[in-house]
Amino acid sequence: MAKLPPPLPYNTQREIFARFQAAEPEPKGELEHVNAYTLVVAVALSAQATDAGVNKATRGLFAVADTPQKMLDLGLEGLTEHIRTIGLYRNKAKNVIALSRILVEEHGGEVPSSRAALQALPGVGRKTANVVLNMWWGHPAQAVDTHIFRVGNRTRIAPGRDVDAVERAIEDNVPAEYQRHAHHWLILHGRYTCIARRPKCGACLIADLCPYEDKTV
């Protein structure tokens, strides 16, 4: 197995994230939500689906069910009708009802602020838990998706063979003052500039710092 290249030097990392911060001081996630509970549901629904598709389905859903108890009152059938356009909607609906029941019965209807408690909820993995910890409670948690995995390896900001390794590489190599927003900057960069097939290197604000060999013109 080929050895991974080393991460970019600290000073280069600092310059990269300083540029990200200058361009977008307060980056935001694109999933629509009104409270911690609707954020958990939206992120859980977003697995293998686009944020735009989830938002389209959840606008009507959250208008009638923005708490765990309201979701239970809506019921599995009612929830399913709202999210039918989202991939894997049947299984996701079952998970949302199950996690809502746990929140009501074990957490007083409130979303817990610990990763372990979040990951104990049906349909909530480490990535979902990290998104909630970061977006709602402001923890410097790194939710590594396909965009961050690609950008982390392509730019050598955070090289790793799997998402867990990339998460650790971000924590180990990105300067501390940029940890809070690092995952949002990287997601947005991967979604709109450092795209998978033909990255927009000509419009990239860190192109001169990026070691990617197959830059586009």
Side-chain angles (χ1 to χ4, degrees), residues 27-150:
K28 304 294 183 184
E30 296 182 322
L31 285 172
E32 297 173 5
H33 59 283
V34 296
N35 53 32
Y37 171 70
T38 55
L39 178 58
V40 171
V41 173
V43 180
L45 293 176
S46 72
Q48 300 181 52
T50 66
D51 287 0
V54 172
N55 290 338
K56 186 175 180 180
T58 57
R59 284 173 195 137
L61 173 64
F62 294 157
V64 296
D66 60 357
T67 69
Q69 186 59 59
K70 288 180 182 178
M71 192 68 74
L72 293 177
D73 293 342
L74 180 64
L76 180 61
E77 190 172 325
L79 168 58
T80 300
E81 285 303 309
H82 278 281
I83 66 170
R84 191 176 293 275
T85 57
I86 299 175
L88 307 175
Y89 70 93
R90 293 186 187 279
N91 192 54
K92 290 177 180 178
K94 292 176 183 177
N95 283 336
V96 169
I97 292 297
L99 73 83
S100 299
R101 184 167 289 110
I102 290 173
L103 290 176
V104 168
E105 294 177 353
E106 299 182 17
H107 299 281
E110 300 295 325
V111 174
S113 59
S114 81
R115 181 182 285 113
L118 285 167
Q119 286 188 241
L121 298 173
V124 176
R126 185 177 180 87
K127 186 184 83 169
T128 298
N130 281 349
V131 171
V132 176
L133 290 171
N134 181 276
M135 289 181 63
W136 195 257
W137 282 287
H139 295 188
Q142 309 303 330
V144 178
D145 67 353
T146 56
H147 297 299
I148 293 184
F149 183 80
R150 178 176 66 256

Side-chain angles (χ1 to χ4, degrees), residues 138-207:
H139 295 188
Q142 309 303 330
V144 178
D145 67 353
T146 56
H147 297 299
I148 293 184
F149 183 80
R150 178 176 66 256
V151 172
N153 279 287
R154 183 182 276 172
T155 64
R156 283 179 34 208
I157 289 172
R161 298 193 190 282
D162 55 42
V163 294
D164 291 338
V166 170
E167 180 182 335
R168 290 193 298 272
I170 294 172
E171 293 170 346
D172 291 344
N173 295 290
V174 173
E177 63 265 39
Y178 299 116
Q179 289 278 334
R180 163 80 189 280
H181 293 310
H183 102 273
H184 274 131
W185 283 318
L186 293 173
I187 285 174
L188 295 172
H189 191 62
R191 184 172 288 165
Y192 297 111
T193 302
C194 196
I195 58 179
R197 298 203 173 183
R198 280 190 62 81
K200 301 174 183 178
C201 299
C204 177
L205 56 79
I206 63 167

